[in-house]
Amino acid sequence: MNRTSSLQTAQDARAHAAATPTHAPQHLIQLTMQLHRPGLTPRQLGRIGEDYAALWLRNRGWTIIDRNWRSRYGELDIIAIDRVGQLAFVEVKTRRSAHFGAPQDAVDAHKRMALRRAGLQWLQEHGRDVPHMGMRFDVLALSVLAGRRAPQIRHIPGAF
């Protein structure tokens, strides 16, 4: 599928979200159960974490424009418009343990540079198609701790 054809304008996406009944609490419960499933590979954990993050943002009035957009610089996990119309490139980090530090600590200088370059490329290719007022890079950190029902979420708007 062509990436451009899958891209919707912010108005189209908002209209679709308003017209589509959401079962967000049910979906969040299902995703929470999946996050706690033993034996997940890091890739599976990351994918489920990104699904959880996208639904979490949508429940807060954000419009998801694109997900897992790839460029030669790397992948943008979530591209969204927040409630005030600002474009956000959201990097999602999911961890099951604090052994290696907080999830957001994994977004180091090298990763931030790659995300900036990928974000600029996305803007060059699609920025005119999506009405927005400014842009930023956010980090959404999910900590899936033992015994917790829902992951701890730390949203860092304008993280870099």
Side-chain angles (χ1 to χ4, degrees):
M1 176 161 81
N2 182 327
R3 184 53 72 178
T4 304
S5 67
S6 70
L7 186 67
Q8 298 177 336
T9 65
Q11 292 95 352
D12 290 343
R14 284 190 182 111
H16 176 72
T20 305
T22 179
H23 304 289
Q26 179 72 20
H27 288 274
L28 284 176
I29 292 168
Q30 290 171 351
L31 289 170
T32 298
M33 290 171 38
Q34 289 178 28
L35 284 167
H36 287 282
R37 200 171 60 217
L40 290 176
T41 66
R43 181 174 289 186
Q44 291 170 324
L45 181 67
R47 182 188 50 77
I48 297 166
E50 289 171 12
D51 290 345
Y52 192 100
L55 186 56
W56 188 84
L57 291 169
R58 191 175 294 122
N59 287 345
R60 280 152 182 75
W62 290 44
T63 302
I64 307 302
I65 303 299
D66 208 347
R67 292 190 50 196
N68 305 115
W69 187 84
R70 295 178 203 273
S71 79
R72 66 183 177 151
Y73 302 111
E75 180 181 276
L76 297 171
D77 294 335
I78 299 173
I79 303 163
I81 302 288
D82 70 8
R83 288 179 291 179
V84 297
Q86 192 168 36
L87 181 69
F89 298 102
V90 183
E91 177 66 10
V92 179
K93 290 295 176 188
T94 307
R95 294 250 173 105
R96 284 182 136 171
S97 163
H99 183 70
F100 296 106
Q104 63 271 18
D105 294 343
V107 186
D108 60 13
H110 178 75
K111 180 72 171 178
R112 290 190 302 269
M113 181 61 69
L115 291 169
R116 282 187 192 106
R117 288 178 174 155
L120 288 174
Q121 185 177 353
W122 188 91
L123 282 170
Q124 288 174 342
E125 293 180 19
H126 305 292
R128 285 181 233 135
D129 301 330
V130 180
H132 60 279
M133 299 179 355
M135 52 134 318
R136 66 175 193 254
F137 291 88
D138 293 4
V139 172
L140 207 149
L142 281 81
S143 297
V144 183
L145 304 174
R148 289 190 162 266
R149 293 181 70 142
Q152 258 182 349
I153 298 173
R154 179 158 185 222
H155 179 208
I156 308 166
F160 57 94

